[in-house]
Coordinates of all heavy atoms in Angstrom, one line a residue:
G1 N 134.1 -112.1 -223.7 CA 133.8 -112.6 -222.3 C 132.3 -112.9 -222.1 O 131.5 -112.8 -223.1
M2 N 132.0 -113.2 -221.0 CA 130.6 -113.6 -220.6 C 129.7 -112.3 -220.7 O 128.6 -112.4 -221.2 CB 130.5 -114.2 -219.2 CG 129.2 -114.7 -218.9 SD 128.5 -115.9 -220.0 CE 128.9 -117.4 -219.2
G3 N 130.2 -111.2 -220.3 CA 129.4 -110.0 -220.4 C 129.0 -109.6 -221.8 O 127.8 -109.2 -222.0
E4 N 129.9 -109.8 -222.7 CA 129.7 -109.4 -224.1 C 128.6 -110.4 -224.7 O 127.7 -110.0 -225.4 CB 130.9 -109.5 -224.9 CG 131.9 -108.3 -224.7 CD 132.9 -108.6 -223.5 OE1 132.8 -109.8 -223.0 OE2 133.6 -107.8 -223.2
L5 N 128.7 -111.7 -224.3 CA 127.8 -112.7 -224.8 C 126.4 -112.4 -224.3 O 125.4 -112.5 -225.1 CB 128.2 -114.1 -224.4 CG 129.4 -114.6 -225.1 CD1 129.8 -116.0 -224.5 CD2 129.2 -114.8 -226.6
L6 N 126.3 -112.0 -223.1 CA 125.0 -111.6 -222.5 C 124.4 -110.4 -223.2 O 123.2 -110.3 -223.5 CB 125.0 -111.4 -221.0 CG 125.3 -112.7 -220.2 CD1 125.5 -112.3 -218.7 CD2 124.1 -113.6 -220.3
L7 N 125.2 -109.4 -223.5 CA 124.8 -108.2 -224.2 C 124.3 -108.6 -225.6 O 123.2 -108.1 -226.0 CB 125.9 -107.2 -224.3 CG 125.6 -105.9 -225.0 CD1 124.5 -105.1 -224.3 CD2 126.8 -105.0 -225.1
I8 N 125.0 -109.4 -226.3 CA 124.6 -109.8 -227.6 C 123.3 -110.6 -227.6 O 122.4 -110.4 -228.4 CB 125.7 -110.6 -228.3 CG1 126.9 -109.7 -228.6 CG2 125.2 -111.3 -229.6 CD1 128.2 -110.5 -229.0
F9 N 123.2 -111.5 -226.6 CA 122.0 -112.3 -226.5 C 120.8 -111.4 -226.2 O 119.7 -111.5 -226.7 CB 122.1 -113.3 -225.3 CG 120.9 -114.2 -225.1 CD1 120.5 -115.1 -226.0 CD2 120.1 -113.9 -224.0 CE1 119.4 -115.9 -225.9 CE2 118.9 -114.7 -223.8 CZ 118.6 -115.7 -224.8
G10 N 121.0 -110.4 -225.3 CA 119.9 -109.4 -225.0 C 119.5 -108.6 -226.3 O 118.3 -108.4 -226.5
I11 N 120.4 -108.2 -227.1 CA 120.1 -107.5 -228.3 C 119.3 -108.4 -229.3 O 118.3 -108.0 -229.9 CB 121.4 -106.9 -228.9 CG1 121.9 -105.8 -228.0 CG2 121.1 -106.4 -230.3 CD1 123.3 -105.3 -228.5
V12 N 119.8 -109.6 -229.4 CA 119.1 -110.6 -230.3 C 117.7 -110.8 -229.8 O 116.7 -110.9 -230.6 CB 119.9 -111.9 -230.4 CG1 119.1 -113.0 -231.1 CG2 121.2 -111.6 -231.2
L13 N 117.5 -110.9 -228.5 CA 116.2 -111.2 -227.9 C 115.3 -110.0 -228.2 O 114.1 -110.2 -228.6 CB 116.3 -111.4 -226.4 CG 115.1 -111.7 -225.7 CD1 114.5 -113.0 -226.2 CD2 115.4 -111.8 -224.2
I14 N 115.8 -108.8 -228.1 CA 115.0 -107.6 -228.4 C 114.6 -107.5 -229.9 O 113.5 -107.2 -230.2 CB 115.7 -106.3 -227.9 CG1 115.8 -106.3 -226.4 CG2 115.0 -105.1 -228.4 CD1 116.7 -105.2 -225.8
V15 N 115.6 -107.8 -230.7 CA 115.4 -107.6 -232.2 C 114.4 -108.7 -232.7 O 113.5 -108.4 -233.5 CB 116.7 -107.6 -232.9 CG1 116.5 -107.7 -234.4 CG2 117.5 -106.4 -232.6
F16 N 114.7 -109.9 -232.4 CA 113.9 -111.0 -232.9 C 112.7 -111.5 -232.1 O 111.8 -112.1 -232.6 CB 114.8 -112.2 -233.2 CG 115.8 -112.0 -234.3 CD1 117.1 -111.7 -234.0 CD2 115.4 -112.0 -235.6 CE1 118.1 -111.5 -235.0 CE2 116.3 -111.7 -236.6 CZ 117.7 -111.5 -236.3
G17 N 112.7 -111.2 -230.8 CA 111.6 -111.6 -229.9 C 111.8 -113.0 -229.5 O 112.5 -113.8 -230.1
P18 N 111.2 -113.4 -228.4 CA 111.4 -114.7 -227.8 C 110.8 -115.8 -228.6 O 111.2 -117.0 -228.6 CB 110.7 -114.6 -226.4 CG 109.8 -113.4 -226.5 CD 110.4 -112.5 -227.5
S19 N 109.8 -115.5 -229.4 CA 109.1 -116.6 -230.2 C 110.0 -117.0 -231.4 O 109.8 -118.2 -231.8 CB 107.7 -116.1 -230.7 OG 107.9 -115.0 -231.6
K20 N 110.8 -116.2 -231.8 CA 111.7 -116.5 -233.0 C 113.0 -117.2 -232.6 O 113.7 -117.7 -233.5 CB 112.0 -115.3 -233.8 CG 110.8 -114.6 -234.4 CD 110.6 -115.1 -235.8 CE 109.4 -114.4 -236.4 NZ 109.1 -114.8 -237.7
L21 N 113.4 -117.1 -231.3 CA 114.7 -117.6 -230.9 C 115.0 -119.1 -231.2 O 116.0 -119.4 -231.7 CB 115.0 -117.3 -229.5 CG 115.3 -115.8 -229.1 CD1 115.6 -115.7 -227.6 CD2 116.5 -115.4 -229.9
P22 N 114.0 -120.0 -231.0 CA 114.3 -121.4 -231.3 C 114.6 -121.6 -232.7 O 115.5 -122.4 -233.1 CB 113.0 -122.1 -230.8 CG 112.4 -121.2 -229.8 CD 112.8 -119.8 -230.2
S23 N 113.8 -121.0 -233.6 CA 114.0 -121.2 -235.1 C 115.3 -120.6 -235.5 O 116.0 -121.1 -236.4 CB 112.8 -120.7 -235.9 OG 112.7 -119.3 -235.7
L24 N 115.6 -119.4 -234.9 CA 116.9 -118.8 -235.2 C 118.1 -119.6 -234.8 O 119.0 -119.8 -235.6 CB 116.9 -117.4 -234.6 CG 118.2 -116.5 -234.8 CD1 118.3 -116.2 -236.3 CD2 118.1 -115.3 -234.0
A25 N 118.0 -120.2 -233.6 CA 119.1 -121.0 -233.1 C 119.2 -122.3 -234.0 O 120.4 -122.7 -234.3 CB 118.8 -121.4 -231.7
K26 N 118.1 -122.9 -234.4 CA 118.2 -124.0 -235.3 C 118.8 -123.7 -236.6 O 119.7 -124.4 -237.1 CB 116.8 -124.6 -235.5 CG 116.7 -125.8 -236.4 CD 115.3 -126.3 -236.5 CE 115.2 -127.5 -237.4 NZ 113.9 -127.9 -237.7
S27 N 118.4 -122.6 -237.2 CA 119.0 -122.1 -238.5 C 120.5 -121.9 -238.3 O 121.3 -122.2 -239.2 CB 118.3 -120.9 -238.9 OG 117.0 -121.1 -239.2
M28 N 120.9 -121.3 -237.2 CA 122.3 -121.0 -237.0 C 123.1 -122.3 -236.9 O 124.2 -122.5 -237.4 CB 122.5 -120.1 -235.8 CG 122.1 -118.7 -236.0 SD 123.0 -117.8 -237.2 CE 124.6 -117.7 -236.4
G29 N 122.6 -123.3 -236.2 CA 123.2 -124.6 -236.0 C 123.3 -125.3 -237.3 O 124.4 -125.9 -237.6
Q30 N 122.3 -125.2 -238.2 CA 122.4 -125.9 -239.5 C 123.4 -125.2 -240.4 O 124.1 -125.8 -241.1 CB 121.0 -125.8 -240.2 CG 120.0 -126.8 -239.5 CD 118.6 -126.6 -240.1 OE1 118.3 -125.6 -240.7 NE2 117.8 -127.6 -239.9
A31 N 123.5 -123.8 -240.3 CA 124.4 -123.1 -241.1 C 125.9 -123.4 -240.7 O 126.7 -123.6 -241.5 CB 124.2 -121.6 -240.9
V32 N 126.1 -123.6 -239.4 CA 127.5 -123.9 -238.9 C 127.8 -125.3 -239.4 O 128.9 -125.6 -239.8 CB 127.5 -123.8 -237.4 CG1 128.8 -124.4 -236.8 CG2 127.5 -122.3 -237.0
A33 N 126.9 -126.3 -239.3 CA 127.1 -127.6 -239.7 C 127.4 -127.7 -241.2 O 128.3 -128.4 -241.6 CB 125.9 -128.5 -239.4
E34 N 126.7 -127.0 -242.0 CA 126.9 -126.9 -243.5 C 128.3 -126.3 -243.8 O 129.0 -126.8 -244.6 CB 125.8 -126.2 -244.2 CG 124.5 -126.9 -244.3 CD 124.7 -128.2 -245.2 OE1 125.3 -128.1 -246.2 OE2 124.1 -129.2 -244.8
F35 N 128.7 -125.3 -243.0 CA 130.0 -124.7 -243.2 C 131.1 -125.6 -242.9 O 132.0 -125.8 -243.7 CB 130.1 -123.4 -242.4 CG 131.4 -122.7 -242.5 CD1 131.7 -121.9 -243.6 CD2 132.4 -122.9 -241.5 CE1 132.9 -121.3 -243.7 CE2 133.6 -122.3 -241.6 CZ 133.9 -121.5 -242.7
K36 N 131.0 -126.4 -241.8 CA 132.0 -127.3 -241.4 C 132.1 -128.4 -242.5 O 133.2 -128.9 -242.8 CB 131.7 -127.9 -240.1 CG 132.0 -127.0 -238.9 CD 131.7 -127.7 -237.6 CE 132.0 -126.7 -236.4 NZ 131.7 -127.4 -235.1
K37 N 130.9 -128.9 -243.0 CA 130.9 -129.9 -244.0 C 131.6 -129.5 -245.3 O 132.4 -130.2 -245.9 CB 129.4 -130.3 -244.3 CG 129.2 -131.4 -245.3 CD 127.7 -131.7 -245.5 CE 127.5 -132.7 -246.6 NZ 126.0 -132.9 -246.8
G38 N 131.3 -128.2 -245.7 CA 132.0 -127.7 -246.9 C 133.5 -127.5 -246.7 O 134.2 -127.8 -247.6
A39 N 133.9 -127.0 -245.5 CA 135.3 -126.9 -245.2 C 136.0 -128.2 -245.2 O 137.1 -128.3 -245.7 CB 135.5 -126.2 -243.9
N40 N 135.4 -129.2 -244.7 CA 136.0 -130.6 -244.7 C 136.1 -131.1 -246.1 O 137.2 -131.7 -246.5 CB 135.2 -131.6 -243.8 CG 135.4 -131.3 -242.4 OD1 136.3 -130.8 -241.9 ND2 134.4 -131.8 -241.6
Q41 N 135.1 -130.8 -246.9 CA 135.2 -131.3 -248.3 C 136.3 -130.6 -249.1 O 137.0 -131.2 -249.9 CB 133.9 -131.1 -249.0 CG 133.8 -131.6 -250.4 CD 134.0 -133.1 -250.5 OE1 133.5 -133.9 -249.6 NE2 134.8 -133.6 -251.4
V42 N 136.5 -129.3 -248.9 CA 137.5 -128.5 -249.5 C 138.9 -129.1 -249.1 O 139.8 -129.2 -249.9 CB 137.4 -127.0 -249.2 CG1 138.6 -126.3 -249.6 CG2 136.2 -126.4 -249.9
S43 N 139.0 -129.3 -247.8 CA 140.3 -129.9 -247.3 C 140.6 -131.2 -247.9 O 141.7 -131.5 -248.4 CB 140.2 -130.0 -245.8 OG 141.4 -130.6 -245.3
K44 N 139.6 -132.1 -248.1 CA 139.8 -133.4 -248.7 C 140.2 -133.2 -250.2 O 141.1 -133.9 -250.7 CB 138.5 -134.2 -248.6 CG 138.3 -134.8 -247.2 CD 137.0 -135.6 -247.2 CE 136.6 -136.0 -245.8 NZ 135.3 -136.7 -245.7
D45 N 139.5 -132.3 -250.9 CA 139.8 -132.1 -252.3 C 141.3 -131.6 -252.4 O 142.0 -132.0 -253.4 CB 138.8 -131.1 -252.9 CG 137.5 -131.7 -253.1 OD1 137.3 -132.9 -253.0 OD2 136.5 -130.9 -253.3
L46 N 141.7 -130.7 -251.6 CA 143.1 -130.1 -251.7 C 144.1 -131.2 -251.4 O 145.1 -131.3 -252.1 CB 143.2 -129.0 -250.7 CG 142.6 -127.7 -251.1 CD1 142.7 -126.7 -249.9 CD2 143.1 -127.1 -252.3
D47 N 143.8 -132.1 -250.4 CA 144.7 -133.2 -250.1 C 144.8 -134.2 -251.3 O 145.9 -134.6 -251.7 CB 144.2 -134.0 -248.9 CG 144.4 -133.2 -247.6 OD1 145.2 -132.3 -247.6 OD2 143.8 -133.6 -246.6
K48 N 143.7 -134.4 -251.9 CA 143.7 -135.3 -253.1 C 144.5 -134.7 -254.3 O 145.3 -135.4 -254.9 CB 142.2 -135.6 -253.6 CG 142.1 -136.5 -254.7 CD 140.6 -136.8 -255.0 CE 140.5 -137.7 -256.2 NZ 139.1 -138.0 -256.6
M49 N 144.3 -133.4 -254.5 CA 145.0 -132.7 -255.6 C 146.5 -132.7 -255.3 O 147.3 -132.9 -256.2 CB 144.5 -131.3 -255.7 CG 143.2 -131.2 -256.4 SD 142.5 -129.5 -256.4 CE 143.7 -128.6 -257.3
A50 N 146.9 -132.5 -254.0 CA 148.3 -132.5 -253.6 C 148.9 -133.9 -253.9 O 150.1 -134.0 -254.4 CB 148.5 -132.1 -252.2
E51 N 148.2 -135.0 -253.6 CA 148.7 -136.3 -253.8 C 148.9 -136.6 -255.3 O 149.8 -137.2 -255.7 CB 147.7 -137.3 -253.2 CG 147.7 -137.4 -251.7 CD 146.7 -138.4 -251.2 OE1 146.0 -139.1 -252.0 OE2 146.5 -138.4 -250.0
E52 N 147.9 -136.1 -256.1 CA 148.0 -136.2 -257.6 C 149.2 -135.5 -258.1 O 149.9 -136.0 -259.0 CB 146.7 -135.8 -258.2 CG 145.6 -136.7 -258.0 CD 144.3 -136.1 -258.5 OE1 144.3 -135.0 -259.1 OE2 143.2 -136.8 -258.3
V53 N 149.5 -134.3 -257.6 CA 150.6 -133.5 -258.1 C 151.9 -134.2 -257.7 O 152.9 -134.3 -258.5 CB 150.6 -132.1 -257.5 CG1 151.9 -131.4 -257.8 CG2 149.4 -131.3 -258.2
E54 N 152.0 -134.8 -256.5 CA 153.1 -135.5 -256.0 C 153.4 -136.7 -256.8 O 154.6 -137.0 -257.2 CB 152.9 -135.9 -254.5 CG 154.2 -136.4 -253.8 CD 153.9 -136.7 -252.4 OE1 153.3 -135.9 -251.7 OE2 154.4 -137.7 -251.9
K55 N 152.4 -137.5 -257.2 CA 152.5 -138.7 -258.0 C 153.1 -138.3 -259.4 O 153.9 -138.9 -259.9 CB 151.2 -139.4 -258.2 CG 150.8 -140.3 -257.0 CD 149.6 -141.0 -257.3 CE 149.1 -141.9 -256.1 NZ 147.9 -142.6 -256.4
A56 N 152.5 -137.2 -259.9 CA 152.9 -136.8 -261.3 C 154.4 -136.3 -261.3 O 155.1 -136.6 -262.2 CB 152.0 -135.6 -261.7
T57 N 154.8 -135.7 -260.2 CA 156.2 -135.2 -260.2 C 157.1 -136.4 -260.0 O 158.3 -136.4 -260.4 CB 156.4 -134.1 -259.1 OG1 156.0 -134.6 -257.9 CG2 155.7 -132.9 -259.5
E58 N 156.7 -137.4 -259.3 CA 157.6 -138.6 -259.0 C 157.7 -139.4 -260.3 O 158.7 -140.0 -260.5 CB 157.0 -139.4 -257.9 CG 157.1 -138.8 -256.5 CD 156.4 -139.7 -255.5 OE1 155.7 -140.7 -255.8 OE2 156.5 -139.3 -254.3
E59 N 156.7 -139.4 -261.1 CA 156.7 -140.2 -262.3 C 157.5 -139.6 -263.4 O 158.0 -140.3 -264.3 CB 155.2 -140.5 -262.8 CG 154.4 -141.3 -261.9 CD 153.0 -141.4 -262.3 OE1 152.6 -140.7 -263.3 OE2 152.2 -142.1 -261.7
Q60 N 157.8 -138.3 -263.4 CA 158.6 -137.7 -264.4 C 160.0 -138.0 -264.2 O 160.5 -138.0 -263.1 CB 158.3 -136.2 -264.4 CG 156.9 -135.8 -264.8 CD 156.7 -134.2 -264.8 OE1 157.6 -133.5 -264.3 NE2 155.6 -133.8 -265.3
P61 N 160.8 -138.2 -265.3 CA 162.2 -138.5 -265.2 C 162.9 -137.2 -264.8 O 162.5 -136.1 -265.2 CB 162.6 -139.0 -266.6 CG 161.6 -138.5 -267.5 CD 160.3 -138.4 -266.7
E62 N 163.9 -137.3 -264.0 CA 164.7 -136.2 -263.6 C 165.6 -135.7 -264.7 O 166.2 -136.5 -265.5 CB 165.6 -136.5 -262.4 CG 164.7 -136.7 -261.1 CD 165.6 -137.0 -259.9 OE1 166.8 -136.5 -259.9 OE2 165.1 -137.6 -259.0
D63 N 165.7 -134.4 -264.9 CA 166.6 -133.8 -265.9 C 168.0 -133.5 -265.3 O 168.1 -132.6 -264.5 CB 166.0 -132.5 -266.5 CG 164.8 -132.8 -267.3 OD1 164.6 -133.9 -267.8 OD2 163.9 -131.9 -267.3
K64 N 169.0 -134.3 -265.6 CA 170.3 -134.1 -265.1 C 171.4 -134.2 -266.1 O 171.3 -134.9 -267.1 CB 170.7 -135.1 -263.9 CG 169.9 -134.8 -262.7 CD 170.4 -135.7 -261.6 CE 169.7 -135.3 -260.3 NZ 170.2 -136.1 -259.2

């Protein structure tokens, strides 16, 4: 909730000080962006692998 966020913000402010907050926020934003970029790439790679497996299984003759 909002109370917890304010408490966390207060602790961060005390630990890092007001002069470090902008650079800390920028670093956190960049880290989140990189994480999302990596997660999207993994998702794309998994989709590509699934398509390749599906093609390979369709190309094999059925054993009946």
